[in-house]
Amino acid sequence: MTDKDENLHHAREEAEEVDQLDPESLLKLAVLTRENPTAASVFLTLLAKVGDEYALVVSLATLAKLCSLTIPDVEHAIEVLEDQDWIGRIIIGASPESSVAYVITSRVNFDGKCDSGFTHFHARILISVEDNENLRRTA
């Protein structure tokens, strides 16, 4: 087996571990890609970064850098994705200006509510060293 064959073999194994979008979602994504390429780009970037939790805490500035877009473009794309039920936005602080978790709505289950009114979910956190003063000091 050549190195190329071995890399391909490992890539297939890794791909099998990832939950795939169902055919209906892929067709919807194809439409989104044609109708709103910016929103599709933001969705695919989120999907690539969310990990197994299917929820991501990320600033708009960091997401804009990842997508090579402006913050207003990302804000508009997020609105489109929410309106079309691709993602949900969960405020995880005391106000809307607080941190936000973006979730892939078809993959996150919020049945974890307990009697105290709290909801539990796991999220990946993505922080840019450029945008975070505390990380710049330690880097």
Side-chain angles (χ1 to χ4, degrees):
M1 184 181 287
T2 67
D3 287 343
K4 184 177 178 181
D5 292 336
E6 189 164 329
N7 288 339
L8 183 60
H9 178 71
H10 289 301
R12 283 190 196 129
E13 288 175 358
E14 291 171 10
E16 290 172 4
E17 295 174 11
V18 177
D19 288 333
Q20 300 296 321
L21 291 173
D22 59 273
E24 184 179 332
S25 294
L26 289 172
L27 291 173
K28 279 181 56 182
L29 184 57
V31 171
L32 180 67
T33 302
R34 286 189 303 275
E35 293 179 354
N36 194 328
T38 301
S41 175
V42 170
F43 177 73
L44 290 170
T45 301
L46 286 170
L47 195 60
K49 296 294 183 180
V50 294
D52 294 338
E53 297 81 18
Y54 291 103
L56 180 68
V57 177
V58 63
S59 72
L60 288 174
T62 299
L63 191 53
K65 285 178 188 167
L66 287 171
C67 297
S68 298
L69 297 168
T70 66
I71 292 174
D73 286 342
V74 170
E75 288 175 321
H76 179 69
I78 293 290
E79 290 173 11
V80 168
L81 293 170
E82 285 183 298
D83 289 346
Q84 294 185 15
D85 291 325
W86 285 101
I87 65 170
R89 182 185 329 201
I90 300 170
I91 306 298
I92 56 175
S95 69
E97 293 81 32
S98 299
S99 295
V100 175
Y102 299 101
V103 299
I104 308 301
T105 53
S106 65
R107 301 285 193 229
V108 176
N109 181 357
F110 290 106
D111 292 338
K113 287 189 177 183
C114 61
D115 294 336
S116 63
F118 292 97
T119 298
H120 302 276
F121 69 96
H122 294 270
R124 178 174 278 182
I125 300 171
L126 184 60
I127 303 170
S128 169
V129 173
E130 294 175 20
D131 298 331
N132 190 300
E133 179 71 27
N134 295 325
L135 292 176
R136 279 195 297 258
R137 281 188 237 150
T138 61

